[in-house]
Each structure stands twice: as structure tokens, then as C-alpha cells.
Amino acid sequence: MNIVALERNSAGTDISVDCWSELGNVTCYRNTVTEEEVRERIKDADVIIANKSPMNERTLKDAPNVKLICELATGFDNCDLAYCKARGIKVTNVVDYCTAMVAQHTFTLALALSQKLAHYDDYVKSGAYSAQDRFSNFDIPFYELAGKTWGIVGMGNIGRKVASIAKAFGCRVIFHSITGKSTCKDYEQVDKDTLLQESDFLSLHCPLSDISRNFIDKEALQKMKKTAILINVARGPVVNNTDLYNALVAGEIQAAGLDVIEKEPLEITNPLSKLQDSNQLIITPHLAWASVEARTRCVEGVYENIKAFMRGEDRNVVNP
């Protein structure tokens, strides 16, 4: 069986993928971006391992042997599921491998922004602390999480983990279901306006879809508290980046922490690239999922998906 991994380096070169070779003849490419590259590299593949590479009729039509596409991720918006199903190609993903790390990063961003860590770190390193005549400095006020309202969009595995941590900090937790289909009864479900108006912290954990795209836009930002902190560890286009920039500049919300942006990597044309104040905006390079442990679980998840397929079993199939 010919297995082609189009974006081997998305797992990190420090993580071994040798286990895949137990299942067939594996060809790994460091990265694959264009449709032309995809077409050429998969033409003899039986199994494709992909992450962001486009999987659609244009790229797959000349690859007659493909039977399985394994997403090296949870998301599968790079893949035309309807076309794959029509072709009899099964698509699998890896679930719940990075829940702990994404939740951890959510609070890393929230705490860094709310406690003004960039300011106080700079204050010490600049020599200002050494020059003062008192033992402490707290010239920019900061507040406790306890007693605040933590709003969540997307009450899946990650959203639930974040909710449990927020509750442990003493927060009131509310959430909004974009689809309206959530069955979660553990926390208070509210409409969008209530979510925006009452959240002191608002974290996004929803998949990207037509209904979640631009969920946070100019209108939404204007409904939020001026003291609110927005965290996006979901998908970049869930937040309109231009509208967020304008809201931050205008002081419509206090701060934002982003691990994802509309187009990655960050382009200089993205207005958010102009904001250099880390007390107001922190952007990390789409790494919330990428602890060593999480990336190892992701590679192993792909291995288990392929092995199950070889046994004739469905495991994590997203286009049944």
C-alpha cells in the first residue's frame, strides 16, 4: 500500500512518524501547498495523509487508487467530503488529541493579557523597578478571574475543558451554540447578544463553517464590554480581523489573544500586524495544538486510523 504524507513537517521534525512505515510504503514530503504539487504527488497513492493541502476533485481526479484520506488534524475543511464520498474515498480525522493543550493555551493568553504581564515584565527589565524606592508596583490595575463571566462559543471537547478550568478559577460560565443543537446541560446556554454583553472573557472553540465565519465582527464587538478580553483558538476567519483591529484601536474591548488569524502566516496587509502593544494584543503562530505530547498523539491517531481501515473497520470517519 502506497501512503503519501503531503505535510510531514506539520507534525514537527522532532516527532517520529516511523510507525506509519509499518503499514505500507510511505513517501513523505516536507510541505505541499499548491494543487499542482498535490496532483503530482498523490497520483499513485492508496492513502493520503494531509493537513491543509486541498483535497477536492481538481487534485484527486487523476489519483484513481486513493481509498483513504487521513487528516493529520481534527479539522477537515481542506477536504471536499461530498466528492470523496461519491468516489468511495473515506476521510478520517484525529479527535481529542490536543484538548488539554488548547485549553492550557487559552488561559495562557487570557492570564497574560488580564494581568498585564508584558507591561510588568518590561517594567522590571527596563530598570524602572530597580530605580524605585518601594517594594512593589501595580501602576496598571488588574483583576481576579473569580467572579467574572467566562463566555464560550463551541461546547465540544475543548470548550468543555475550558469551561471546567474557568469554573475552577471561580468564573460563572455561559456558552452559545452557533448551530443551536448543543445538548450540554452542565452550563448555562445563552443567545448571542447575551453572550457578547455579559462575557468578561470570551473564548472561541468552534469549527469554521458558513455560519461561524465572521461570527465576531464589527456589530458583535460593539456589543461587548469595553473591559472584555477575546480569545480565539478556533479558526482565524471566525473573527473578522479588520473589525477586531478597529475595535482594539477604538477601545471597544480591552484586549485580544489570538492563536489563529484570517490568513496564515500573518501578512503585513493584515491590520493586526500594526499593533505592537502586547498588553492589548498577543498573537501566537497557530501553536495552541502543538505540544510535544499532542503532536505525538496526532501521529499515533493517524496510524490507528490507517490500521483500522486495513482491518475493514471505520475509525473517526467524517464522511460515512
Side-chain angles (χ1 to χ4, degrees):
M1 185 165 64
N2 291 324
I3 302 171
V4 176
L6 292 173
E7 298 151 284
R8 183 263 175 270
N9 283 17
S10 66
T13 56
D14 58 323
I15 303 299
S16 173
V17 297
D18 290 347
C19 60
W20 296 344
S21 297
E22 299 174 16
L23 305 174
N25 177 37
V26 178
T27 302
C28 289
Y29 295 95
R30 183 186 66 83
N31 195 26
T32 303
V33 178
T34 68
E35 291 190 349
E36 183 178 354
E37 287 176 327
V38 174
R39 282 194 298 270
E40 177 60 28
R41 293 173 178 180
I42 67 169
K43 59 185 180 182
D44 296 319
D46 298 299
V47 176
I48 300 169
I49 301 171
N51 188 326
K52 302 297 183 185
S53 296
M55 296 283 105
N56 53 46
E57 183 175 5
R58 294 186 301 277
T59 57
L60 292 164
K61 63 181 181 180
D62 296 322
N65 300 328
V66 175
K67 306 175 188 68
L68 177 68
I69 296 172
C70 292
E71 295 283 0
L72 188 61
T74 300
F76 43 85
D77 48 282
N78 63 313
C79 193
D80 184 338
L81 298 184
Y83 172 76
C84 290
K85 185 171 184 177
R87 274 273 309 269
I89 301 171
K90 293 185 177 181
V91 180
T92 66
N93 68 344
V94 185
V95 297
D96 207 24
Y97 71 93
C98 62
T99 296
M101 187 61 235
V102 177
Q104 178 177 313
H105 196 67
T106 299
F107 285 91
T108 298
L109 293 170
L111 292 169
L113 290 164
S114 65
Q115 293 181 211
K116 310 301 180 187
L117 290 189
H119 168 75
Y120 288 110
D121 183 53
D122 289 343
Y123 185 81
V124 173
K125 290 177 178 174
S126 70
Y129 181 46
S130 298
Q132 70 178 42
D133 59 2
R134 63 192 188 281
F135 79 94
S136 182
N137 179 63
F138 39 86
D139 57 337
I140 297 181
F142 51 93
Y143 304 89
E144 300 174 357
L145 266 66
K148 303 300 185 297
T149 296
W150 190 291
I152 293 174
V153 179
M155 196 55 88
N157 290 331
I158 295 172
R160 287 174 183 266
K161 184 69 172 178
V162 169
S164 68
I165 297 171
K167 186 176 180 180
F169 269 113
C171 294
R172 168 200 176 211
V173 176
I174 60 175
F175 78 97
H176 174 69
S177 170
I178 294 180
T179 64
K181 298 178 180 179
S182 177
T183 59
C184 177
K185 303 297 183 184
D186 297 327
Y187 305 98
E188 181 184 356
Q189 185 171 176
V190 298
D191 59 32
K192 183 176 181 179
D193 282 354
T194 301
L195 179 88
L196 296 169
Q197 293 164 4
E198 297 189 6
S199 295
D200 297 296
F201 295 85
L202 177 56
S203 60
L204 309 177
H205 309 285
C206 55
L208 180 63
S209 67
D210 290 341
I211 58 175
S212 68
R213 190 180 299 273
N214 288 317
F215 181 80
I216 300 296
D217 58 7
K218 179 180 178 180
E219 181 181 357
L221 289 158
Q222 288 175 341
K223 293 178 180 179
M224 293 176 67
K225 296 181 180 182
K226 291 186 181 297
T227 55
I229 293 176
L230 174 69
I231 306 295
N232 187 12
V233 291
R235 287 291 183 265
V238 175
V239 176
N240 184 296
N241 286 190
T242 298
D243 290 350
L244 176 60
Y245 168 79
N246 291 332
L248 288 169
V249 170
E252 291 177 353
I253 64 170
Q254 178 187 167
L258 310 177
D259 186 55
V260 289
I261 49 179
E262 284 181 337
K263 188 173 182 182
E264 299 168 347
L266 179 67
E267 297 179 325
I268 58 172
T269 53
N270 187 321
L272 292 175
S273 67
K274 301 175 187 177
L275 295 179
Q276 300 298 307
D277 183 0
S278 295
N279 296 293
Q280 186 180 46
L281 175 67
I282 295 177
I283 301 177
T284 52
H286 203 146
L287 53 70
W289 63 278
S291 66
V292 169
E293 296 90 344
R295 288 183 287 123
T296 299
R297 287 191 291 267
C298 191
V299 167
E300 292 172 349
V302 168
Y303 169 80
E304 294 296 338
N305 286 345
I306 298 173
K307 193 161 70 169
F309 173 78
M310 293 171 68
R311 294 194 301 263
E313 301 172 3
D314 284 350
R315 184 178 190 273
N316 297 328
V317 174
V318 298
N319 65 335

